[in-house]
Amino acid sequence: MCGIVGYIGKAEAPNILIKGLRRLEYRGYDSAGIAILDEAGKMVVVKSPGKISALNEKARAEWPDALFTQAPTGIAHTRWATHGEPTENNAHPHLDESGEIALVHNGIIDNYLALRARLKDKGHHFHSETDTEVLAHLVGEFYKGDIFHAVCDALHQVEGTFGICVLATREPDRIITARRGSPIAIGVGDGESIVASDASVLLAHTQRVIYLDDNDVAIVKKDSVDIRDLDNIPVNRKIAELEMDASAAEKGGFEHFMIKEIHEQPEALSNAIRGRLDFTHGTAVLSGMGTSPRELSELGRVVMVGCGTSLHAGLVGEYAFEELADIHAEVQQAAEFRYRNPILDRRDFVVAISQSGETADTLAAVREAQQKGAFVMSLCNVVGSTIARETGRGVYLHAGPEISVASTKAFTSQVAVLLMMALKLGRGRRLSREHGLEIAKAIASIPKLVTQVLTQNAHIEELAAKYVKDEHAFYIGRGLMYPVALEGALKLKEISYIHAEGYHAAELKHGPIALISKGIPVIAVACDIPGKDKTLSNIEECRARGARILGIVTEGDTAAAARMDDFIAVPSTHHLVTPVPAVVALQLFAYHVARLRGKEIDQPRNLAKSVTVE
Ligand code: F6R
């Protein structure tokens, strides 16, 4: 989603800000802009629709070279349009009426129309359709020479969500930043400070980071960070060490982040699993869950919440919890959960699944579940993310930064961690040590299984070439293969723009089969798990109507493979683990189809990596 960078330090602010924006490109955006204080203390702004490269060219054409090497302070933004089209006027930073205050903003100001009308009556002129420009003017309206107080006064009037950075010509020694519902991290460097909506931006400067909490406002100078609440009461936020490694955010010789991350999965999964399996007691060690055996035995239900790919991981989790822990388990779309007034009590174990840990609906679902007294924990990848911090207890994936918008290694790591959670819960209830050991061994084998699928990259690329011209595709599966079908279809549609739908194979007859006609591709996830034979029958129904079948089958299952026009064989394993190798085959398939179609794989149109607005 939108990205923020602010820099105050030695020099070269424009270069540093542009580099920072490039780091944020993966989040998805459609325009960008930058505001700098020049030598004369004047605010200079450049904005551009389209890519950062266009912004860079424009800045280089409009600004003197000296500005690039000497200016010590500035703020910048990548915008993902919400209010108004992605035009130059709508791009951030926005200025107040005087032109002396610049502001960049992530989030949505819900009451901006009322505020805009009020400000217009007071003589303010607006040049964009955005809610952000209203906020810039509001800050200007309150400004009496102290930008911190003006920001606090303005934010008191605002309904909605924000992560902001503000710069004022009359106070060039500071950037003001604040958050409510939209992340802000401050890098504490040596004679320089850097503010960003995504901690990966800070890595080039420092490993020392402060995460703001909701309603924190910080006065950021090059050698100090002073954090207060909206009422000017000082608050204490700890400096944490960033655990990321700068090289993890580079492509490392791969053409795209997505294919790099697909190939990183054996390592990511090893990191997710390492030290968490106990082969003596046949269980998992997940101290972050913070549960005693008694608490585990008393739980009545597992409710997972998430969106998109994380929701699909939760669907796999349902099977694992029910089978291993004999507990009712369900996954709910987080936006649906938060608004349906869910029935919860203290015996409900709510697990928020989110790679970014910032998804607005998942965060709201967490707050709703906490409000209702449920036992809430998170399963996040991004360390220090809002959901991880607000839940207080949880398990990190340790999959490393996921830069590609299309999630891959987060999904497989989520599944691995959910299996371990189910194992731990099961052992606290009725699961025997022997059965627990069997599951622990199957989980431990996951990285190797994924490596085996990755060796088929070239074969999958060849297959992709056969399907690249299709404009529709159906993915079908049953049981544990149903979430895999959903996830496979999601991967294909989001990066190749092929219309792909995932269905439960049994649902075909209830409607979708009407769409099956000669030549339509059906990707059938028919690995050898309970229910496979029924899927094979559904495949026959599709074949009878002329569909071309690409099957995902278990290695050695020649009978199943014989029913397919094409197939990818994945290694045989415990049925609960099967979704992982099966989905990796579909990730590779989607990647190669999109690549052959020449799509912008890492930044698909209209999509954002972290959806921090509803
Ligand atoms: C798809 C994808 C999205 C995310 C969804 C939730 O490839 O990445 O569907 O899974 O936006 O994001 P997180 O997991 O960060 O809450």
Side-chain angles (χ1 to χ4, degrees):
M1 198 120 280
C2 303
I4 286 178
V5 192
Y7 178 79
I8 183 156
K10 299 158 189 168
E12 290 200 60
N15 289 333
I16 290 167
L17 292 171
I18 285 168
K19 253 190 222 152
L21 291 182
R22 288 219 160 96
R23 255 294 179 249
L24 294 177
E25 277 194 297
Y26 78 95
R27 298 170 67 94
Y29 70 104
D30 34 40
S31 59
I34 177 166
I36 300 287
L37 289 180
D38 73 7
E39 281 161 68
K42 226 178 105 220
M43 190 76 73
V44 288
V45 179
V46 165
K47 309 201 274 193
S48 165
K51 294 287 167 195
I52 308 292
S53 48
L55 177 75
N56 190 28
E57 273 168 36
K58 201 164 172 220
R60 298 217 168 253
E62 289 184 13
W63 290 349
D65 288 349
L67 197 65
F68 285 87
T69 51
Q70 286 163 20
T73 314
I75 58 177
H77 191 259
T78 46
R79 172 172 186 257
W80 189 80
T82 56
H83 294 68
E85 287 180 24
T87 59
E88 181 173 333
N89 272 359
N90 286 336
H92 306 200
H94 286 286
L95 299 178
D96 76 323
E97 187 69 20
S98 72
E100 291 183 5
I101 294 170
L103 182 147
V104 292
H105 165 225
N106 288 354
I108 292 180
I109 307 298
D110 293 330
N111 59 337
Y112 84 106
L113 285 175
L115 292 170
R116 187 180 160 114
R118 236 172 58 201
L119 288 164
K120 265 190 154 177
D121 287 346
K122 291 191 164 190
H124 287 253
H125 302 85
F126 292 96
H127 310 282
S128 79
E129 301 153 84
T130 65
D131 51 343
T132 303
E133 191 184 17
V134 175
L135 183 54
H137 279 246
L138 193 62
V139 173
E141 178 68 19
F142 283 111
Y143 190 55
K144 305 276 177 290
D146 185 328
I147 189 65
F148 170 79
H149 287 296
V151 168
C152 292
D153 289 344
L155 294 181
H156 269 300
Q157 310 245 322
V158 154
E159 288 162 22
T161 55
F162 52 80
I164 56 168
C165 265
V166 187
L167 194 58
T169 54
R170 282 194 264 159
E171 294 168 83
D173 66 336
R174 65 197 61 195
I175 290 172
I176 306 299
T177 182
R179 76 158 273 173
R180 184 189 294 158
S182 201
I184 291 287
I186 304 169
V188 183
D190 183 11
E192 59 178 358
S193 299
I194 182 150
V195 182
S197 51
D198 183 323
S200 67
V201 174
L202 315 179
L203 281 172
H205 300 264
T206 179
Q207 301 277 126
R208 303 173 74 216
V209 61
I210 301 172
Y211 295 102
L212 292 193
D213 276 357
D214 275 356
N215 298 312
D216 285 354
V217 189
I219 303 164
V220 181
K221 298 187 178 176
K222 66 179 182 181
D223 41 23
S224 69
V225 178
D226 178 7
I227 307 175
R228 290 144 192 263
D229 69 10
L230 287 175
D231 297 315
N232 198 17
I233 312 277
V235 291
N236 197 9
R237 302 281 171 242
K238 284 200 192 98
I239 298 185
E241 281 292 310
L242 272 175
E243 285 179 18
M244 293 174 207
D245 159 13
S247 68
E250 307 289 345
K251 278 189 208 151
F254 285 93
E255 194 178 341
H256 298 101
F257 280 110
M258 183 176 178
I259 190 71
K260 176 186 175 231
E261 287 159 11
I262 290 174
H263 278 89
E264 273 171 2
Q265 287 178 108
E267 196 193 329
L269 284 155
S270 299
N271 290 339
I273 295 166
R274 185 171 301 118
R276 288 174 164 172
L277 288 171
D278 171 350
F279 292 99
T280 307
H281 301 102
T283 186
V285 186
L286 299 167
S287 46
M289 274 169 77
T291 42
S292 65
R294 161 159 290 189
E295 280 171 325
L296 291 184
S297 67
E298 284 173 355
L299 293 174
R301 186 171 65 137
V302 178
V303 182
M304 290 160 283
V305 290
C307 302
T309 288
S310 296
L311 178 71
H312 296 160
L315 280 168
V316 178
E318 281 184 358
Y319 288 90
F321 281 113
E322 294 198 348
E323 184 171 326
L324 301 178
D326 276 332
I327 190 167
H328 173 81
E330 62 188 68
V331 60
Q332 292 190 27
Q333 209 285 338
E336 183 61 21
F337 177 90
R338 67 182 284 197
Y339 286 118
R340 72 186 301 177
N341 192 14
I343 300 167
L344 293 169
D345 66 37
R346 45 184 279 282
R347 292 182 64 235
D348 286 322
F349 184 40
V350 174
V351 183
I353 309 174
S354 174
Q355 187 285 130
S356 62
E358 302 294 347
T359 300
D361 284 322
T362 312
L363 177 58
V366 161
R367 291 176 178 162
E368 179 66 18
Q370 284 172 330
Q371 197 66 34
K372 293 207 150 102
F375 190 92
V376 185
M377 67 159 272
S378 61
L379 211 170
C380 294
N381 190 35
V382 177
V383 176
S385 55
T386 309
I387 292 174
R389 286 184 293 127
E390 288 207 9
T391 46
R393 67 175 93 215
V395 182
Y396 281 120
L397 301 181
H398 295 307
E402 191 178 66
I403 307 289
S404 162
V405 166
S407 183
T408 53
K409 62 178 180 175
F411 176 82
T412 47
S413 302
Q414 283 164 344
V415 169
V417 174
L418 285 166
L419 288 173
M420 290 189 284
M421 284 173 59
L423 173 60
K424 180 177 160 88
L425 195 53
R427 289 289 289 130
R429 296 160 74 92
R430 291 205 29 83
L431 193 72
S432 71
R433 179 178 168 277
E434 285 63 37
H435 194 174
L437 266 179
E438 183 199 354
I439 301 297
K441 282 184 190 150
I443 296 171
S445 75
I446 292 178
K448 207 167 120 227
L449 299 171
V450 171
T451 304
Q452 281 172 259
V453 180
L454 294 175
T455 59
Q456 299 190 59
N457 186 35
H459 166 59
I460 296 174
E461 186 175 359
E462 275 169 31
L463 284 179
K466 293 173 77 173
Y467 292 82
V468 72
K469 293 221 162 66
D470 291 292
E471 290 306 327
H472 305 274
F474 294 91
Y475 283 67
I476 59 168
R478 280 170 185 260
L480 282 152
M481 297 300 105
Y482 171 54
V484 174
L486 294 181
E487 179 59 10
L490 179 62
K491 288 291 90 89
L492 188 71
K493 79 178 87 170
E494 65 185 335
I495 58 169
S496 73
Y497 312 146
I498 290 173
H499 170 225
E501 295 301 340
Y503 289 108
H504 192 285
E507 269 296 312
L508 277 182
K509 282 199 213 46
H510 301 284
I513 202 161
L515 295 168
I516 304 289
S517 57
K518 196 165 166 33
I520 282 275
V522 172
I523 291 89
V525 196
C527 295
D528 197 9
I529 62 162
K532 177 196 76 177
D533 290 341
K534 304 259 182 240
T535 306
L536 293 180
S537 305
N538 300 129
I539 290 171
E540 288 308 323
E541 291 155 9
C542 295
R543 276 165 70 89
R545 286 155 184 86
R548 283 148 65 214
I549 314 289
L550 165 59
I552 308 298
V553 299
T554 300
E555 240 166 44
D557 189 353
T558 46
R563 312 266 193 115
M564 319 292 178
D565 293 282
D566 298 297
F567 69 89
I568 304 167
V570 298
S572 171
T573 178
H574 190 282
H575 60 271
L576 284 174
V577 163
T578 309
V580 177
V583 89
V584 173
L586 294 180
Q587 293 168 350
L588 283 172
F589 178 73
Y591 171 79
H592 286 301
V593 170
R595 194 177 140 271
L596 293 169
R597 284 166 77 100
K599 300 301 176 202
E600 273 205 59
I601 292 178
D602 287 330
Q603 290 149 39
R605 71 179 176 214
N606 304 339
L607 292 180
K609 183 63 186 163
S610 161
V611 184
T612 50
V613 291
E614 282 190 54

